Amino acid sequence: MTTLTRTALVVVAVLVLLLALLWVFQRHLIYLPDRAPVPPAGEVVPGARDVSFTTSDGLRLAGWYVPGTRDVTVLIAGGNAGNRRDRAPLARALSEHGLAVLLMDYRGYGGNPGTPTEEGLHRDALAARELISGSRVIYFGESLGAGVVTRLALERPPDGLVLRSPFTDLAAAGQANYPFLPVRPLLRDRFPVAENVARIRAPVVVVYGTRDTIVPPRLSRAVAQAAAGHVTTVEVAGAGHNDLSMLTGPDVVAAVVRLAERNGS
């Protein structure tokens, strides 16, 4: 065996091992939960209370509910990192406009049991939705959460959706961040946002930052173009994916409030 052949075999073996590791541990790269328990809701958001909901596979999960003065509840599905405490500023901002808010945490996030997967997050969202079945509902999906709420909307149609920094599907976002890897064939979790939104008839608002390097703006614009119903785009100039302006900035808050008003609140 020549030196060149041995070198080639070593390279191939290393690549195979790397791909195998990515296949096994990929969800550790996708889901970045803050698993720490969170304080009582009322200590973080004035007037909020702790709530719980049980999923179809038997997990009892915790969330926060903030009552409102309008007949619209906003269900907030967060992104892939942190927990509900990180989205509390958004809940406070929406509450100041009279909107009720259900701030859910997925399995494995914020002290909740379980391990996150695409199917698991869908079960979590379905269970959370049951808590607010008596009022008009807007779904707010942040990044990965856009995948959660667009799938939820196919089973439990809302009165409107706000998709903040959505990607067309998880593979497209992954490929943008890891262009040297065969992301699409490796992924087990898909989150096909554009495919889902093409089947949703409720009004959709797509909000994205022009300097988002995690979910490139072109992906969010493609989601808006795929929408089947009435769609509005909100471009936040100069904003990156995790900038404060994309959490509680006036453009984001106003997008939700306008959609609530469109629904007659």
Side-chain angles (χ1 to χ4, degrees):
M1 184 181 295
T2 66
T3 301
L4 182 60
T5 302
R6 285 197 297 269
T7 301
L9 289 174
V10 169
V11 170
V12 170
V14 170
L15 289 175
V16 170
L17 177 60
L18 175 61
L19 293 176
L21 289 172
L22 287 172
W23 171 259
V24 172
F25 295 106
Q26 61 181 269
R27 285 179 173 142
H28 293 280
L29 300 175
I30 296 170
Y31 305 102
L32 306 172
D34 182 343
R35 299 180 181 274
V38 297
E43 293 182 7
V44 183
V45 182
R49 64 175 184 264
D50 293 288
V51 295
S52 63
F53 44 96
T54 302
T55 66
S56 60
D57 55 345
L59 292 180
R60 188 169 183 83
L61 307 180
W64 291 343
Y65 178 74
V66 189
T69 57
R70 299 186 178 194
D71 183 31
V72 177
T73 300
V74 182
L75 171 60
I76 298 178
N80 70 322
N83 60 37
R84 61 190 179 278
R85 187 171 187 173
D86 299 299
R87 282 86 191 177
L90 175 60
R92 286 196 296 267
L94 296 177
S95 177
E96 289 171 1
H97 288 272
L99 298 174
V101 178
L102 176 57
L103 192 52
M104 65 172 292
D105 250 341
Y106 308 123
R107 59 188 64 204
Y109 287 71
N112 282 336
T115 301
T117 65
E118 180 179 11
E119 184 61 31
L121 269 55
H122 178 58
R123 292 174 183 266
D124 302 344
L126 280 171
R129 179 65 175 82
E130 291 303 311
L131 293 179
I132 48 175
S133 57
S135 67
R136 287 178 295 146
V137 178
I138 291 172
Y139 298 161
F140 182 102
E142 172 199 317
S143 193
L144 185 83
V148 176
V149 299
T150 51
R151 182 176 174 184
L152 176 64
L154 297 178
E155 295 188 34
R156 296 295 306 275
D159 295 281
L161 296 94
V162 178
L163 308 179
R164 199 278 263 179
S165 308
F167 44 69
T168 49
D169 63 4
L170 184 59
Q175 199 68 69
N177 287 275
Y178 304 100
F180 49 88
L181 292 175
V183 173
R184 191 169 295 278
L186 282 175
L187 275 182
R188 285 183 276 177
D189 293 347
R190 298 291 175 169
F191 294 100
V193 178
E195 179 182 322
N196 289 343
V197 82
R199 300 165 57 195
I200 295 169
R201 299 299 171 182
V204 174
V205 180
V206 175
V207 185
Y208 62 92
T210 61
R211 292 189 178 179
D212 193 330
T213 58
I214 296 175
V215 178
R218 61 180 173 80
L219 298 182
S220 295
R221 288 193 290 265
V223 170
Q225 291 167 0
H230 182 274
V231 61
T232 304
T233 57
V234 178
E235 184 179 271
V236 184
H241 193 80
N242 293 315
D243 288 357
L244 186 60
S245 59
M246 295 300 293
L247 177 63
T248 57
D251 293 314
V252 176
V253 174
V256 183
V257 173
R258 283 195 298 267
L259 188 57
E261 291 171 346
R262 174 186 173 89
N263 279 286
S265 70

